[in-house]
Amino acid sequence: MPEALSGISFVLALLFYGAASALFFLDVARSRTRLPSAADLAGLGAGPHHHDPAARPSAAAAPASRHAPLLLGLGALGHATYVTLASFVARVCPVHSMHFMLSVASLFAIGVYLIARRRFRIDALGLLIGPLGLAFLLGTFFLGKPHAEPKLSPLFIAAHVMANLLGIALFLLAGASAALYLVQEKRLKQKRHVERLGSLPPLDTLDRAVHRFLSAGFPLLTLGIVTGTYWAHRLEMGNTEEVMRAIFGYATWLLIALVLLLRAAAGWRGRRAAYGTIAGLACAAAVLVIYLVRPAAGLGG
């Protein structure tokens, strides 16, 4: 009976977390702020009171959906139920299991967020909290299994691989747009090569391209991170390759999430968003390098 109830609570928590994460993401993706025009940037540096255009606050950050916090709370309730019942089924004390402790820590984080989100206006933080709760839930489910792993279906593996590849492809496009943004901004500020400025898109166009590519790639990377928790048990073996790949993979996800979050909550656009995007792309590139170098160098093996 407890095993059946734990399975039901796991599925419900999975669905609620997934729905909440999707709604939080849609709220952030729909956020609209105004970026200074090229003419504004061309005049920067003329006086002592100029500011970084990326530092201008957002005029109106999109509020979180009314249903997203409710779904997140229901997901946390199912998560807590699953952890409690699974502890009895697996006969594992949560205090003595790192996997269960991480789940409990994520539940505390969700609780604090739900209480403080209105007072401190941190609704957009759900973009991070929802997927983290989902990842820790899946981590507890897979890592808490005392028996041998079942064989994965080709569809599951294909979804994991394709989500990561498509996500990285979109981040490459976002990184290229971000690099062009920095080049164009530098030209405008220094008032150099004015006759060739028309060869590059306007700053606002490049900024929108960065945001749209990131918005399209972030759900795919989240799917790759979530499905990748199945192999997280390899981290316990001390495999260098697995540890490095996990570090850079989660760093990529965190950096891209922060770029989207700060854009919606604090109006971070332009140069700051471009630098954050390029940093996230560098981490994604490191993951690819590890995949490519290991067969030749025998890394971690």
Side-chain angles (χ1 to χ4, degrees):
M1 185 65 177
E3 186 172 359
L5 291 176
S6 68
I8 294 173
S9 61
F10 169 78
V11 172
L12 290 176
L14 189 68
L15 293 175
F16 287 135
Y17 273 151
S21 300
L23 289 178
F24 279 123
F25 169 75
L26 290 175
D27 283 329
V28 171
R30 286 196 303 259
S31 65
R32 292 288 184 269
T33 53
R34 180 185 178 275
L35 190 72
S37 64
D40 295 333
L41 283 176
L44 290 178
H49 301 292
H50 70 278
H51 299 281
D52 182 354
R56 298 191 180 186
S58 169
S65 166
R66 290 181 298 174
H67 302 295
L70 175 61
L71 291 172
L72 182 63
L74 291 174
L77 180 61
H79 190 167
T81 303
Y82 169 73
V83 168
T84 302
L85 294 175
S87 299
F88 288 106
V89 172
R91 297 181 181 180
V92 175
C93 177
V95 177
H96 297 145
S97 171
M98 177 59 66
H99 318 310
F100 284 98
M101 287 180 66
L102 289 175
S103 275
V104 173
S106 69
L107 290 173
F108 277 121
I110 291 171
V112 172
Y113 165 76
L114 292 175
I115 293 172
R117 69 181 186 86
R118 287 189 175 181
R119 180 175 180 180
F120 298 103
R121 298 181 180 179
I122 54 173
D123 287 311
L125 198 59
L127 177 70
L128 295 175
I129 299 297
L132 284 178
L134 180 60
F136 284 131
L137 171 68
L138 290 173
T140 302
F141 178 77
F142 290 128
L143 294 173
K145 299 289 185 182
H147 50 75
E149 301 174 352
K151 291 185 178 180
L152 294 177
S153 69
L155 182 61
F156 181 90
I157 297 176
H160 174 75
V161 173
M162 289 303 297
N164 282 296
L165 290 179
L166 290 175
I168 291 177
L170 289 168
F171 292 156
L172 284 172
L173 294 173
S177 301
L180 289 178
Y181 179 95
L182 295 175
V183 171
Q184 180 78 314
E185 183 193 45
K186 184 176 181 180
R187 286 179 173 182
L188 288 169
K189 285 186 175 182
Q190 295 181 351
K191 299 182 180 180
R192 291 164 54 187
H193 307 291
V194 177
E195 68 281 358
R196 288 184 288 173
L197 285 177
S199 61
L200 292 178
L203 290 177
D204 198 52
T205 299
L206 291 170
D207 183 73
R208 283 198 304 270
V210 171
H211 180 61
R212 288 172 180 172
F213 286 133
L214 291 182
S215 297
F218 183 75
L220 294 170
L221 182 61
T222 301
L223 177 61
I225 291 291
V226 168
T227 54
T229 57
Y230 185 88
W231 293 278
H233 69 281
R234 297 180 183 177
L235 298 177
E236 299 177 333
M237 303 176 185
N239 188 299
T240 305
E241 176 213 359
E242 299 293 342
V243 172
M244 291 177 62
R245 202 163 58 196
I247 290 174
F248 284 115
Y250 282 108
T252 302
W253 182 86
L254 183 60
L255 284 169
I256 300 304
L258 286 175
V259 170
L260 293 173
L261 173 64
L262 291 173
R263 180 187 183 98
W268 277 30
R269 301 186 64 181
R271 187 193 312 165
R272 291 176 177 177
Y275 283 135
T277 300
I278 293 173
L281 179 60
C283 291
V287 176
L288 292 178
V289 169
I290 293 172
Y291 272 109
L292 295 174
V293 169
R294 183 178 183 272
L299 180 62

